[in-house]
Amino acid sequence: MRLVRAGEIARRGLLCWVTVLGSCLTAAPVLAVERPALAETVVVGTFNVRNYLENNRWHAGQFRFEHPKPEAEKRAVREAIKAADPDVLFLQEMGSPAHLEELRRDLEAEGCRYPFSHFAVSADARSGLGMLSRLAPAHAVLLEPRDSTGQVRMRRGIHEVVIPFGTTRLRALHVHLKSRYTDDAGDPDSRAARGREINALVEAARHCRSLYPEDEALLVGDFNTPFEDPLMQPLWAAFAPVEVADRTGAAWTYHHFKSDLREKIDGFWKSRGGRAGVRFESDSLWPEQAAESGSDHRLVTIRIVRE
């Protein structure tokens, strides 16, 4: 497997604006970082914000073409983020760099500041992967795992972000895996397609760990597959999920409103046998009802502690 890196950043006073093969790296015009890189504890979150883009949708009693995400849903997204208050937040289903910047500026206007942001999207993906951070990333790229023929193995790619944390670095591989929707009658529920993406992610994670053994690896995002599903077994060999539940003890992260099905498909996988001096702790899910989040997902947060 080959990993194609679609873009990269380095901080020189401020992060630069760069656009290379679908990877857009941005920084707000803010010189100070909200929290120092030597913080003892960093809260990291992941949130599928459900079509934060122009999309055909039913709104206000009628079907609308290429309609933006309703303001009430955007407000609910912001309320969930402000309640969770993560230092680093990974976002799925962001439409564009402009949508990410809109969210960042709206949060800042409400007193929740994220000086650094990064957006990455594959060429044939409808939505991209975003990141908001109070810590300056040391590195951020879009990885596109390819097979021996050059074919892309993960439609949305892997959003690799490195955050300095004390004497080590957190290397997050941020993903939004294939949904279960499909028009392929030979692959019901997209199980074969999701299985291929999970295998590609595992291989990419092993490759990154071999290249950067000094970094602490973390898989994060929307896996579109319940964590206990047999499809996830390739992950279990080298990674373990960080268990998270809300104050009622409920651990689901996704609510399919039509069927009322609730599943745990979003969150974090930590490396087995991780580096000494770094501990991953569960935090919470925000809010208790997905319908109140402006999405059909809940925001998941964990704490990373420097010992």
Side-chain angles (χ1 to χ4, degrees), residues 227-269:
F227 283 12
E228 301 298 331
D229 189 296
L231 276 181
M232 299 292 274
Q233 285 305 307
L235 279 184
W236 285 89
F239 293 86
V242 182
E243 300 296 342
V244 176
D246 64 24
R247 65 182 181 86
T248 72
W252 60 269
T253 66
Y254 167 70
H255 182 195
H256 187 263
F257 297 132
K258 289 184 179 180
S259 66
D260 201 31
L261 177 68
R262 289 173 170 83
E263 297 177 309
K264 180 173 67 175
I265 65 174
D266 310 86
F268 302 86
W269 292 71

Side-chain angles (χ1 to χ4, degrees), residues 187-217:
D187 185 16
D189 237 12
S190 293
R191 287 191 68 81
R194 283 185 288 132
R196 288 192 294 270
E197 290 205 346
I198 290 167
N199 286 326
L201 172 61
V202 170
E203 291 179 31
R206 287 174 177 164
H207 183 68
C208 286
R209 289 177 68 187
S210 68
L211 289 177
Y212 310 102
E214 71 282 1
D215 291 355
E216 183 66 54

Side-chain angles (χ1 to χ4, degrees), residues 3-306:
L3 288 179
V4 177
R5 297 177 180 270
E8 188 166 340
I9 55 173
R11 187 180 182 219
R12 298 182 183 133
L14 284 176
L15 294 175
C16 303
W17 286 83
V18 182
T19 303
V20 182
L21 297 179
S23 183
C24 185
L25 315 163
T26 71
V30 179
L31 289 174
V33 179
E34 293 296 314
R35 188 179 294 224
L38 294 177
E40 297 294 334
T41 301
V42 170
V43 177
V44 182
T46 179
F47 192 13
N48 182 322
V49 290
R50 192 188 187 189
N51 291 327
Y52 204 112
L53 43 74
E54 281 67 47
N55 190 39
N56 298 339
R57 64 181 88 222
W58 185 266
H59 179 66
Q62 60 181 302
F63 188 78
R64 301 169 185 261
F65 292 95
E66 293 301 305
H67 192 73
K69 188 173 180 68
E71 289 301 320
E73 292 186 12
K74 291 180 180 179
R75 184 165 57 251
V77 164
R78 297 196 302 274
E79 290 302 317
I81 294 172
K82 289 188 295 181
D85 196 30
D87 298 298
V88 182
L89 176 60
F90 294 98
L91 299 157
Q92 302 90 51
E93 293 199 19
M94 292 299 305
S96 68
H99 291 99
L100 181 62
E101 177 62 7
E102 174 193 276
L103 175 59
R104 192 199 68 79
R105 287 185 178 275
D106 286 347
L107 285 167
E108 183 168 326
E110 296 170 359
C112 185
R113 302 177 68 227
Y114 288 102
F116 304 99
S117 64
H118 174 233
F119 180 84
V121 64
S122 296
D124 61 346
R126 186 175 65 90
S127 63
L129 300 166
M131 182 271 295
L132 298 174
S133 180
R134 292 173 181 150
L135 303 179
H139 164 98
V141 296
L142 178 67
L143 304 179
E144 294 185 314
R146 296 174 183 265
D147 62 22
S148 59
T149 68
Q151 294 296 310
V152 174
R153 297 179 65 191
M154 296 180 68
R155 182 177 180 183
R156 298 183 179 97
I158 302 172
H159 182 192
E160 181 187 53
V161 178
V162 178
I163 303 291
F165 184 53
T167 57
T168 188
R169 303 192 306 175
L170 177 67
R171 184 172 296 270
L173 299 183
H174 174 207
V175 298
H176 182 192
L177 298 187
K178 173 73 177 69
S179 76
R180 283 170 273 192
Y181 298 106
T182 181
D183 55 7
D184 182 357
D187 185 16
D189 237 12
S190 293
R191 287 191 68 81
R194 283 185 288 132
R196 288 192 294 270
E197 290 205 346
I198 290 167
N199 286 326
L201 172 61
V202 170
E203 291 179 31
R206 287 174 177 164
H207 183 68
C208 286
R209 289 177 68 187
S210 68
L211 289 177
Y212 310 102
E214 71 282 1
D215 291 355
E216 183 66 54
L218 183 68
L219 309 184
V220 52
D222 176 359
F223 296 84
N224 259 316
T225 306
F227 283 12
E228 301 298 331
D229 189 296
L231 276 181
M232 299 292 274
Q233 285 305 307
L235 279 184
W236 285 89
F239 293 86
V242 182
E243 300 296 342
V244 176
D246 64 24
R247 65 182 181 86
T248 72
W252 60 269
T253 66
Y254 167 70
H255 182 195
H256 187 263
F257 297 132
K258 289 184 179 180
S259 66
D260 201 31
L261 177 68
R262 289 173 170 83
E263 297 177 309
K264 180 173 67 175
I265 65 174
D266 310 86
F268 302 86
W269 292 71
K270 63 182 178 180
S271 175
R272 295 187 186 275
R275 289 177 55 87
V278 177
R279 185 175 74 252
F280 294 91
E281 298 180 347
S282 64
D283 194 50
S284 195
L285 299 164
W286 314 81
E288 289 185 9
Q289 298 299 323
E292 299 170 358
S293 73
S295 175
D296 46 2
H297 295 252
R298 295 200 286 179
L299 196 163
V300 187
T301 54
I302 62 169
R303 293 179 178 272
I304 305 175
V305 180
R306 186 166 65 93

